[in-house]
Amino acid sequence: MLFRERIPLLWLLVQATLVVTWCFNAEMETGPSAGVFAQSNSDRFKIEGRAIVPGFKPQDWVFSARVLVEGEEYVGFLRTDGSFAVNDIPPGSYVVEIISPTFRFDPVRVDITSKGKMRARLVNYIKTSEVIRQPYPLQVRASGPHSYFVKRETWGWTDFLMNPMVMMMVLPLLIIVLLPKVVNTNDPEMRKEMEQSMNMLNPNPELPDVSELMTKLFSGSKGSSKTGASSKGTRPAVKRR
Amino acid sequence: MAKIILLFLKLLGVLYTAQAVFEDQVGKFDWKQQYVGSVRFAHFDNQIQSSKKVLVATEKNVFAAINTRTGELFWRHVDKAGPEGNIDALLLQGQDAVMVVGDGRILRSWEVNVGGLNWEMVLDSGSFQSASLVGHQEHVKYVAVLKKAAISLHYLSNGHQKWIENLPESDSVDYQSVYSEGKGEVFVLGLVPHSHITVVVYSIDDGEILKQFTVEAPWMSDLQSSCSVIGKGMLTCVDASSLSLNMLDLHAHSEMNQIPLQSIGLEASSSFRPVLVSSQPNAARPPLSEFFLQIGPDQHVLLQLNNGQILTLRDFKPAMLVSFATTGEKTVAAVMSPKNKTASSINLFSAETGRRLLDTTLIFTMDPNGGNPERLYVQAFLKKDDSVGYRVIVQTEDHQLTYIQQPGRVLWTREEALSDVVTMEMVDLPLTATQAELEGEFGKKADGLMSMVLKRLSSQLILLQAWVSHLWKLFYDARQPRSQVKNEVTIENLSRDEFNLQKMMVMVTASGKLFGIDSKTGTIVWKHYLDNVPSNAAFKLMVQRTTAHFPHPPQCTLLIKDKDTGLAMLHVFNPIYGKKSHVTPPLLPQPILQSMLLPLMDQDYAKVLLLVDNQYKVSAFPSTKNVLQQLQDVASSVFFFLIDADQGRLSGYRLRTDLSTELIWEVVIPAEVQKIVTVNGKKANEHVHSQGRVMGDRSVLYKYLNPNLLALVTESTDQHQERSFVGIILIDGVTGRIIHEAVQRKARGPVHIVHSENWVVYEYWSTKSRRVEFSVIELYEGMELYNSTVFSSLDRPHAPQVLQQSYIFPSAISAMDATLTEKGITSRHLLIGLPSGGILSLPKMFLDPRRPEIVSEQSREENLIPYAPELPIRTEWFINYNQSVSRVRGIYTAPSGLESTCLVVAYGLDIYQTRVYPSKQFDVLKDDYDYMLISSVLLALFFATMISKRLAEVKLLNRAWR
């Protein structure tokens, strides 16, 4: 009961936050245009943050990395501890990316109001007004190394053997070669037993024979034609009964 | 439904991963060259003797460390292009390099060993004048930045401001330089031109003005270029009009002491403006009391200031360049003087005495195809016996850096002109002599059966011989260790390979230096510096004759046009050897408006180049009788267009038989509303294989393949984000008929456009949604073709069907082009240069206006991808994997001899060359083809049949015996 009551409350809260973000957005829209008209040097701000590559020291990668704000409109560099600050940015909304040839970082959208209020959110190019907050000052974690290469299709025995065509070829072959050796067909008792088991397998004589189907299917291939031949050999025995 | 789409996309993903680079292909057919640009500041890192770094800051806003052993880069930092990233000053102190960037806007300190940033500070606004390291009590702790109206002192360790002081009377006094000698004072020197010098002395501790005085100097117009502090605070200025040195002791503020140059025995011509060169090796100590005075274009004098007296230590004549260098406690002067026409020698002299140091001669051989030496950077070091050794970097006018050690061994050269490639072409390599011989057999007329047979046999013999020698070479190379096998590329062994994958890249740079680069290895085969190129030139490179017309040499023509005056000149050269052609190009006295290469050829197989001057007169090059005759015949079908971007006018002209022109159409785009940004035609060497597309219901949708179609891009002059727009107009270049017009509202440039086949792809910035968007326009004739044999702009009554679709692209882009193949069968990809340095190969399939929103049976049959608003960027699609290419300015694509393969060159700050296979390698065996497997299987099968045959025989025999 208590739980049920909580849900509308939560919903209200969500709505409230939505309204708040909406207000923020409205402020945002006026931000850049104000920047266009009154562009003095005083209302310029800086975007700060830190880039982290788990498991690597900053010295190993910072020299090849850069911070790009909105393409190459503003450029920042990484300090030797992985932190960065991009200076001299007028109010507006910008996509901040950390560029490294080895590690992948997700871009973040940073909004700066004309008063210098900062906000970071996830980049969503389709729903541009959607707000999923990110921490500010930015904390950008590398999501792993870039995968530039595709694995070559390597050839292995298992791939070859597990191929269905090969399985279909090899298994009947094995049966043909090995069965006569294992089972002594000349023994009359054995033959009787086999006939019985065949009957067990094929209780309804009206149904089409599996082996016959196989012959039809693989009449071209050598191995299966042999299976066909061998099954033909057993068929008269069935009729004889 | 969504699931189906997802599944479909996944399937496509699987299909398209195959176009990526495989890891074992790295460096196999691709290469990258990194450049930094023309060097503005260079400092050798001499904190430790064994250091092998030189730090450079360049005109391209790049700060980099070059390895002095190899000439490669240790690291490089590319700042924003343009004035905001401009490097104003570079100061090196120990492990820290301090840089002033963007007209004094930002102060940065770099850690030199790792290449990481120490700190960055935003300075107050105000135009930058000068920066200097400030020492205090033998330690350099601060950096002083002088602006137009203020001076600030910052700690070197963290960049924090110690103090900032406004300069007195800064609106009348022009403060230009800052000086300190480690005594707790900072001197700021200012000037009121043609009146007096103002000196303000600040205390290092709190920025208090300790002293302030003015000195009359009515002759002086510029402080920085004519003055320098020498010795213990002696401001020394050279007066070009009275030819005298003027000295002022900054500590005892007295009058200027004038010393005529004649009184110290120097004769100077009044036409030359003398220049002072001084050196302050340590910021915590006063500068040297020795200095150079350049009194003529090739005369330098080493002078010494001794107790207020000037002594001449040595007179160097001729001497082109001089430089000071310090190692430990010793300071030396390096002097470069011409030796003969092709070489100059560099010698070291002791700075204190002017005595020449023994065994310090170094010979610099000048490239006859290069520029003159411009600057000298000297790296001095102490040898084991305490004598001074040195190496130098010579910078020449063509932005080349050469690192030389004694006695003249060139360790490396860097062609920094290649950081600014303007245009390029790829030219097929010529056939070898034997190949040419074989080709010749088919070209000649038949002369009897017997001789033909003999010729055939002899050529086959030649082939056999070549093959055997090739095998022998392979065998010989295989025995040698891999490192010893050198595949040096020289002009002699350059020849076309069997699939025409190796070509000559002819690159034109903004500095006027031309390069010929072998596309397979990246080796510079030839270079040629044109020294008479204006600084704001526009270039157009045309291949007039290819290598296909043996024995005529291939011929390229470079049109160099001064952007201001419109005056142009032609440079005709051989693209394989780089030599200037014997053909004399015509002189062009009138400004040139338009140039075009006609498919007509003269009797020597050179294509005809038409140039239109501002009187609308047309001249042809080559202009032989044969050419003029041909031109008269085809004149009625030669049309061209002119663009006047200022007036917004696009006009079409037609050639008359007397080589005058006639205006036939005109399109005016109101220049006050929108301006023409680019006009883009189709590539002349493009082939379209299929005339149409097969639809799901087996009918054919024919493409509208108009070779005369122009795509015109306009941008609104109103930059307000609500009202700005980007317009695109497709216009027929012959008739002036507007085929299609589209406007993208709430959008602005920069617009990148690719126009090919029957489609136009363009990219713009959507100001409303703050994202990059792509739009594609495709033109179709419909289900029937009006005239399937030939396309004529004049006879095409039906307007084409226009399809358009737009997409979101999740990154900014810096350059774009499309792949190009020999016959156009291979599917097309767009090559997109991203600011991150990647070059994305995006299948054109994703930019297809027929992508359906709802998947139907037919669309699946057609292999159409369901519409998704966002275009994907996958790192697997980066053709340059981790070899980032900075500031891509252009992407050049050329077909190779293989239909599947397209050669790609991306140029900008770096140059990257590779091959792409948009539809995979369908016409050659893949390079991972398993020869071992196929041969072992074959062999196994062979033996199996042999054995089973034998077994069967034995069995038969046994049965027969039974």
Side-chain angles (χ1 to χ4, degrees), chain A residues 87-161:
Chain A
N87 286 302
D88 237 9
I89 296 176
S93 176
Y94 305 96
V95 174
V96 179
E97 280 173 287
I98 292 164
I99 298 299
S100 160
T102 29
F103 299 106
R104 188 175 62 236
F105 296 90
D106 290 327
V108 185
R109 186 176 278 283
V110 173
D111 303 323
I112 310 172
T113 63
S114 52
K115 292 193 185 75
K117 247 183 159 180
M118 313 287 271
R119 177 181 70 178
R121 54 185 167 118
L122 275 188
V123 177
N124 189 338
Y125 285 109
I126 297 169
K127 280 189 230 154
T128 47
S129 54
E130 190 193 49
V131 177
I132 300 169
R133 281 272 187 145
Q134 295 282 96
Y136 186 87
L138 302 173
Q139 294 284 326
V140 193
R141 255 172 194 285
S143 49
H146 282 301
S147 58
Y148 291 112
F149 303 111
V150 178
K151 273 251 165 90
R152 275 211 194 268
E153 290 165 24
T154 48
W155 193 88
W157 281 105
T158 46
D159 296 346
F160 178 73
L161 288 179

Side-chain angles (χ1 to χ4, degrees), chain A residues 66 73 87-88 125 152, chain B residues 24 78 80 105 120 771:
Chain A
R66 284 203 294 170
E73 203 125 327
N87 286 302
D88 237 9
Y125 285 109
R152 275 211 194 268
Chain B
D24 53 84
V78 183
K80 194 177 164 181
R105 186 72 186 148
E120 182 177 296
R771 63 191 179 203

Side-chain angles (χ1 to χ4, degrees), chain B residues 32-180:
Chain B
K32 180 173 88 158
Q33 287 171 359
Q34 284 190 310
Y35 294 98
V36 294
S38 170
V39 171
R40 188 181 283 169
F41 307 104
H43 290 291
F44 286 96
D45 173 26
N46 47 10
Q47 43 168 327
I48 35 169
Q49 280 286 334
S50 59
S51 171
K52 43 184 201 284
K53 271 196 194 80
V54 56
L55 298 156
V56 293
T58 70
E59 309 274 342
K60 289 261 168 201
N61 307 348
V62 174
F63 178 53
I66 301 174
N67 185 340
T68 52
R69 298 261 163 85
T70 59
E72 305 279 305
L73 299 179
F74 277 119
W75 44 260
R76 180 180 72 171
H77 289 291
V78 183
D79 204 349
K80 194 177 164 181
E84 280 169 72
N86 191 42
I87 299 169
D88 300 318
L90 171 69
L91 306 164
L92 187 67
Q93 174 61 40
Q95 291 201 347
D96 301 328
V98 181
M99 233 161 70
V100 183
V101 177
D103 199 17
R105 186 72 186 148
I106 288 167
L107 189 67
R108 263 191 206 128
S109 167
W110 297 94
E111 210 283 328
V112 165
N113 291 329
V114 180
L117 189 68
N118 283 329
W119 46 262
E120 182 177 296
M121 281 287 144
V122 183
L123 304 181
D124 288 340
S125 56
S127 73
F128 172 78
Q129 294 293 341
S130 172
S132 158
L133 292 169
V134 176
H136 192 39
Q137 291 163 349
E138 291 292 305
H139 289 290
V140 182
K141 283 192 206 152
Y142 314 104
V143 57
V145 179
L146 181 70
K147 295 274 192 93
K148 184 99 187 123
I151 176 168
S152 56
L153 202 69
H154 299 262
Y155 290 98
L156 265 183
S157 52
N158 55 13
H160 288 305
Q161 189 175 293
K162 189 172 165 73
W163 49 259
I164 181 164
E165 291 296 326
N166 282 328
L167 295 163
E169 296 162 51
S170 61
D171 43 351
S172 62
V173 183
D174 187 9
Y175 291 96
Q176 287 181 347
S177 66
V178 57
Y179 159 75
S180 92

Side-chain angles (χ1 to χ4, degrees), chain B residues 710-831:
Chain B
L710 302 173
L712 186 82
V713 180
T714 63
E715 274 179 42
S716 63
T717 48
D718 190 350
Q719 284 297 313
H720 188 272
Q721 58 165 346
E722 290 292 316
R723 294 187 295 269
S724 66
F725 62 87
V726 166
I728 183 152
I729 301 167
L730 301 181
I731 193 165
D732 189 301
V734 171
T735 58
R737 182 180 173 193
I738 293 178
I739 307 286
H740 180 64
E741 196 170 357
V743 168
Q744 229 75 41
R745 296 205 180 279
K746 292 181 185 173
R748 63 172 163 80
V751 178
H752 293 90
I753 184 165
V754 177
H755 182 192
S756 179
E757 287 188 33
N758 65 328
W759 48 265
V760 177
V761 170
Y762 59 101
E763 171 267 358
Y764 52 88
W765 170 258
S766 163
T767 53
K768 189 185 167 220
S769 314
R770 292 188 292 248
R771 63 191 179 203
V772 173
E773 289 180 7
F774 265 83
S775 197
V776 55
I777 296 176
E778 286 196 0
L779 301 169
Y780 289 99
E781 293 237 334
M783 292 302 171
E784 279 167 45
L785 211 53
Y786 176 71
N787 180 352
S788 59
T789 48
V790 67
F791 189 96
S792 167
S793 288
L794 300 168
D795 180 32
R796 218 63 176 179
H798 310 297
Q801 297 173 7
V802 181
L803 302 174
Q804 182 161 17
Q805 217 168 48
S806 296
Y807 314 88
I808 302 163
F809 191 68
S811 168
I813 80 168
S814 41
M816 180 162 74
D817 211 331
T819 58
L820 196 66
T821 51
E822 180 88 44
K823 295 273 180 278
I825 301 168
T826 310
S827 63
R828 308 291 296 271
H829 279 200
L830 287 174
L831 300 169

